[in-house]
Structures are given as C-alpha cells and as structure tokens.
Amino acid sequence: MRYQAPLVEWISFALNRSCLDQTLESIRKGKKIQHLPAVSDTNRRYLEKILREEVVKQFNDFERPMLELVLNSIDAKIRGVTDYNVKMLVKRRSFTVIDDGNSMTLEQILRFLIIPFNTEKDGIEQIGKFGVGFLSNFYYCINDRRTSITVYTITKDESYSLKFFCPSTSVSDIVLELKHIRRSKKPRTIVKIDNLTYRRSKLITYLTQHLVNIPSYMAKLTIDGVWINEGYRTPWISVPVTLQVKDKEIVQEVGFCRASPASSSFIVLTSQGVKVKVFSCNVNGAIISFPSAVRVVEGRDEFKIDDNYKKCVYAAFEAFEQHAQIQNVKDICFTIELFSELVSAFQVEYIKNIPNIDRIEKILFGDKKYMLLTTQYDELAEFLGKACLDKIIRVYPASFQLWSNGFNVMSDFFNHHMKPVLVLDMEKEKTNYHRLSLLGILLRLLNFGQERVRKVIFVRVDPGTSPFYFEGIGSGILYINIRHFLCRGSLTAMKLFGMCSELYRSEACLSTLHGRVDSNKEIAPRILFRTVASFYDRAISTRT
C-alpha cells in the first residue's frame, strides 16, 4: 500500500494528535486512510514559511545538506556499540548514506523527521541537526524536479520507504510517498539522493575535510570503501569522563589522536570532530576531541572554560599518557615536545596540577639524569658512546624550559663524566705526557675558522665514532677522548691520518674547518694530513 500526499498535509496531519494514533495503526496494518485532515489556509501559509526557511535559507554551501545526512547517521549510533560504520557512496548522479544505527519507527518519522524543529535529540549527545539538517536536502528537489530523496528505515518490527520529490520550484509542492518494504534481519537506515547534479570530486573533498577529525570510536566513516577518518595517523585513544549537564551526571568520552610525521604540525581542538581551535606545533601534532557537554562559546572559536572543560583537559592528558606508553623510543623527543605544546594549548599554568603528571614524567623520562637541547645532544652524539647517551634525554627549547629545573644540564654532565685527564694550554705546550703532548702540539696548527684552538682537554669517556668534540663559541676548547681507538697505543701515521679525517668529518668541526683548510671536501683532508704529518715526521726524527 502506498500513501502519497503533499508534505505540508503530512506535517499538518502529524501535528493533529487527535487522529494521529488511529492513522498510524491503519498504515501499520496496510489499510487505506480515508482522508487526511484538511489544512486551513492560515496553517498552510505558516507551514510553507517554516519549510521555506529550512529548505532554502539553512546553509550556504551546496554540499552542506549532504554532510548533515552523515552527521545524522553518526548520531544514530546505538549506545554501547564499539564498532559502528557509516558508509557513503558518491556516484556520478547519486549520493547515498548507510548506517546500522537506531532506525526510525513510523511514529518517529511522522512526529520528528518531517516536522521542523521537532526532535528527540537533547543536544547533549548529538552533532547533527536532525530534522532541520534533513529538511535542508529538499533544496535539491526544488532546484531540479528530476531529483528525489528516498529514506529506507528498517527496524526490528517495521520497515518503510519515504520518497520525497517536487514537481515545481515551490516548497508547497513537495510530495511525500510512504510505503511498506520487505523487512530485513538487520536494522539499518539508508538515505539516497537520486538524479543529483554535482561535481563528484568536489563533494568527496568537502566531506573529507569536514569529517576527517571525527573520532573513529564514534564512527568509522568510509567514502566508496575508503576510510577517511583514520589511517594517516595513530589510532584514537578515548577516555571516559563524568560531566555535569542540566543537574544530571553523564559519561562522555574525550578522544586523543596523534598525527603521523607526514601530516600537518598542528594541535586541533574539536567538539566531537568539528574543528574549534587550531594551534601551530613544532612537531607532528594531535587532534583532541571534546564531547558535546563541553560547550562552545557562541560566535567565537572558544570553549567555555568551566568545570566540564577542566575535567576534559585532564582526561586529554590521561589519553596522552596512554599514547606515550606505546610510542617508539626513537620518537620520545617529539612526544615530550607534544606534551609541552598541549600544556600551552590548554593554558595549564602549573603542570603539577595535572593529576597524572608523575606517571607522564616517568614514561617520558624514565631514569634519565641529564637533559640537553637537541642541538647540544647532536653535537655530542658522535663523541659519546651508548653508555653515556643513554643517560641523556634530548628535548626542544620549549620542553627544556618546562622541565629542566628537575634535571642536570650540560654543564653538570661535563662535570660528572668529562673530567680532564690532561689539559694542554696551547700558549704553553708543556706536559710530562710526551705522546699526548705530541698530538696536542700538532693540533695547535688548527684554527677552526674564527675559533682558535686555545685549549686541548683530554678526557676518558665511553667512546663514540669520533675522538673529537670542539666546544667553540668563544671557548676554543677541543676535547679528545683517549679511550677512542685512534688515540690508544702508539701514534702511527695511519692513526694520525684517521684522526685528521675524523676531525674533518666531525659534524661539530666541519663548518669551522672549511674556513681554515679548504672548501673542497675531497682535497681538504689531504691538505690537513700533509700539514700534520710533516710535524709527525719531525717529532719522530727528534725522538730517534
């Protein structure tokens, strides 16, 4: 049995409570409806005015009504379901949204779907404008009389299709055709727009841009089988939090998702995936999804700073803690910096106020004793061996400023681990250690660009790949590790050449050496070797 009438008449009938229940029962049993209640001219004009406002003037973007269909499908998620899918099919002349959430009964269709501003949504859990958002799609029908919108709603007990079309360009002529369809074992809702003229690539881009930040724990969103809100970043981590709304407690989730190194370096704060505020970030950023109970200030891209907001900020740090636990050790420097960026984004004045700060600190730093800036660490990385480097945590400037008070810094590391075995003042050149003195004398020839080697300090430390570390920047100190294999045993010509090559190759000395020796990377080591080797031969002759 088919039931067809102008949409305005359906709305008027649905608002008439005196005959609604009886008519619903007739439709469920497939019986003929004798007549729909007549609509007075006054009511008709009023209903047409409301429809016109919602259909024609609701959104500026042509694609936005289709986005509202997707948001409605996300809202239809059944409470407690963890694996929820919303599928979008973008074809040449049609657009379809499919979900397996809460489908609508016949009564819900007539009381809520087709009536503007009438909804069961409380505004606490949902992100779509159910009713208003759906009605905006009628714009496609009045813009092109060939376009139709069909809704298939399949529940456990009843199944219907609703087809909307318009033979003219007036909202008063929109028609609703309702009929029974075959019942399915699996409840679902399908909304399909047929004979729609649009640019497929533009719609896909639009939907992706607006839906990419929707947390996957809310819904897995696919366009033609391609997962659009996951994949280029780490999995979402969600933390439940108890919030206060309208004198009652509700439990909602705060989501955290880390962007991959290949994606943008921003911290994005969202309200259920809808972008609210964006902060630039020195490292690959993250997306924080606040639940609907955290209110957005109307007319401003800001969250309302209240108890719900503060609870969700602390929940975000709990999610960050879970993320940090599974991070690769090699990426820990970036994770530490992300924490500092989050502190700044959330405007946390004292990190000690974060409830789980001790656990976060333990995960990020372990038993590290020394904190160095990344530039300092990189300069020492070739000079020091693994045993020393394992005691150091490398951080960016923002993190250094936030955490350094609780750690030993570079000067402490030098005092503890790089105590001098021998110091050669290049103005005096005197020592009782002939072999080490010889090396110091040879190195006296080297001026590192504008930085002259004023002092050579020999240390005994776990060796890295290079025996040299040049401190420079006014001090003119060259450190030589006597535990390095090039510095141990007798000083042969081969070892001397190795030393020259290492000194030239060393990242810490490379730029300054070019100023003294040669700008040609191939010729410079040979010149350096010949210069030093001549003094080596002279020293050997003196000893013999």
Side-chain angles (χ1 to χ4, degrees), residues 47 80 135 209 245 254 285 321 364 385 406 433 439 505 508 523 530 535:
L47 292 175
L135 294 178
Q209 288 176 345
V245 178
V254 174
E321 177 190 342
L364 295 181
Y433 297 89
L439 184 57
R505 186 190 65 82
I523 300 175
R530 285 202 298 269
F535 278 82

Side-chain angles (χ1 to χ4, degrees), residues 426-438:
M426 302 312 288
E427 304 298 327
K428 299 178 180 179
E429 305 174 356
K430 292 181 180 179
T431 177
N432 294 326
Y433 297 89
H434 178 74
R435 180 168 59 82
L436 298 181
S437 175
L438 174 63

Side-chain angles (χ1 to χ4, degrees), residues 120-136:
E120 288 184 303
K121 295 185 178 184
D122 56 13
I124 298 175
E125 301 285 348
Q126 299 85 10
I127 55 180
K129 292 187 176 180
F130 198 77
V132 174
F134 175 77
L135 294 178
S136 64

Side-chain angles (χ1 to χ4, degrees), residues 81-365:
V81 172
T82 56
D83 185 17
Y84 183 62
N85 299 280
V86 175
K87 302 176 183 178
M88 291 161 273
L89 305 178
V90 182
K91 304 305 179 185
R92 191 172 66 89
R93 294 277 294 168
S94 68
F95 174 70
T96 308
V97 182
I98 305 170
D99 69 72
D100 50 5
N102 284 309
S103 297
M104 301 184 73
T105 63
L106 178 61
E107 183 175 359
Q108 289 172 324
I109 291 170
L110 297 180
R111 289 186 57 198
F112 301 112
L113 179 64
I114 65 174
I115 301 179
F117 304 113
N118 203 24
T119 177
E120 288 184 303
K121 295 185 178 184
D122 56 13
I124 298 175
E125 301 285 348
Q126 299 85 10
I127 55 180
K129 292 187 176 180
F130 198 77
V132 174
F134 175 77
L135 294 178
S136 64
N137 283 269
F138 294 158
Y139 170 78
Y140 303 130
C141 297
I142 64 174
N143 191 51
D144 186 341
R145 65 186 62 186
R146 295 171 300 177
T147 302
S148 64
I149 301 170
T150 306
V151 179
Y152 302 93
T153 176
I154 303 167
T155 68
K156 191 175 182 180
D157 301 315
E158 49 188 341
S159 303
Y160 300 93
S161 73
L162 297 83
K163 185 175 181 180
F164 301 88
F165 58 94
C166 187
S168 73
T169 58
S170 173
V171 293
S172 61
D173 292 331
I174 297 176
V175 176
L176 164 58
E177 179 186 275
L178 185 150
K179 67 177 181 178
H180 288 270
I181 58 173
R182 182 176 297 178
R183 196 174 300 171
S184 173
K185 293 182 180 179
K186 186 177 181 181
R188 64 172 51 192
T189 301
I190 303 171
V191 182
K192 185 177 183 182
I193 306 176
D194 281 309
N195 297 315
L196 180 64
T197 302
Y198 67 98
R199 287 176 55 193
R200 181 176 180 273
S201 60
K202 184 179 179 181
L203 176 59
I204 291 175
T205 300
Y206 182 89
L207 292 173
T208 302
Q209 288 176 345
H210 285 78
L211 298 171
V212 67
N213 293 327
I214 298 290
S216 58
Y217 59 81
M218 290 176 60
K220 177 181 177 180
L221 307 177
T222 60
I223 297 179
D224 295 334
V226 178
W227 193 357
I228 63 169
N229 63 329
E230 197 71 66
Y232 74 95
R233 53 200 178 194
T234 60
W236 278 92
I237 297 171
S238 61
V239 174
V241 57
T242 301
L243 304 172
Q244 194 79 19
V245 178
K246 298 179 180 178
D247 298 324
K248 68 176 182 178
E249 288 188 343
I250 62 171
V251 176
Q252 293 188 327
E253 291 179 302
V254 174
F256 175 94
C257 180
R258 180 76 180 274
S260 69
S263 58
S264 59
S265 298
F266 295 98
I267 292 176
V268 182
L269 305 184
T270 74
S271 177
Q272 295 180 287
V274 179
K275 191 183 300 181
V276 175
K277 204 167 185 65
V278 179
F279 301 87
S280 60
C281 185
N282 290 327
V283 293
N284 50 302
I287 303 168
I288 313 297
S289 178
F290 282 170
S292 57
V294 179
R295 292 305 186 185
V296 178
V297 179
E298 187 135 1
R300 295 171 55 191
D301 294 332
E302 298 281 354
F303 287 102
K304 182 180 179 181
I305 308 301
D306 55 13
D307 288 341
N308 283 349
Y309 174 82
K310 293 175 183 177
K311 288 179 181 179
C312 288
V313 166
Y314 293 149
F317 281 112
E318 288 185 33
F320 171 84
E321 177 190 342
Q322 296 180 35
H323 165 75
Q325 285 178 321
I326 59 176
Q327 275 300 284
N328 192 311
V329 176
K330 294 180 179 179
D331 298 328
I332 197 65
C333 176
F334 302 110
T335 305
I336 294 170
E337 182 68 6
L338 178 59
F339 175 84
S340 302
E341 300 282 3
L342 289 173
V343 168
S344 176
F346 291 135
Q347 298 179 334
V348 177
E349 191 171 353
Y350 302 106
I351 62 173
K352 289 300 180 183
N353 291 338
I354 300 173
N356 61 330
I357 187 61
D358 292 335
R359 297 196 302 272
I360 289 176
E361 186 172 353
K362 181 65 177 176
I363 294 169
L364 295 181
F365 304 112

Side-chain angles (χ1 to χ4, degrees), residues 370-431:
Y370 303 94
M371 178 173 287
L372 271 62
L373 291 167
T374 52
T375 53
Q376 297 172 331
Y377 182 94
D378 292 342
E379 289 173 358
L380 281 169
E382 293 183 340
F383 185 71
L384 300 175
K386 187 176 182 301
C388 286
L389 294 177
D390 284 347
K391 299 176 183 178
I392 302 173
I393 189 73
R394 58 192 290 263
V395 296
Y396 290 99
S399 299
F400 188 84
Q401 186 176 3
L402 186 67
W403 293 101
S404 59
N405 287 339
F407 289 85
N408 295 311
V409 293
M410 189 167 182
S411 58
D412 300 310
F413 179 84
F414 272 59
N415 291 335
H416 297 161
H417 295 279
M418 295 180 65
K419 295 178 180 178
V421 174
L422 178 69
V423 178
L424 292 181
D425 188 330
M426 302 312 288
E427 304 298 327
K428 299 178 180 179
E429 305 174 356
K430 292 181 180 179
T431 177

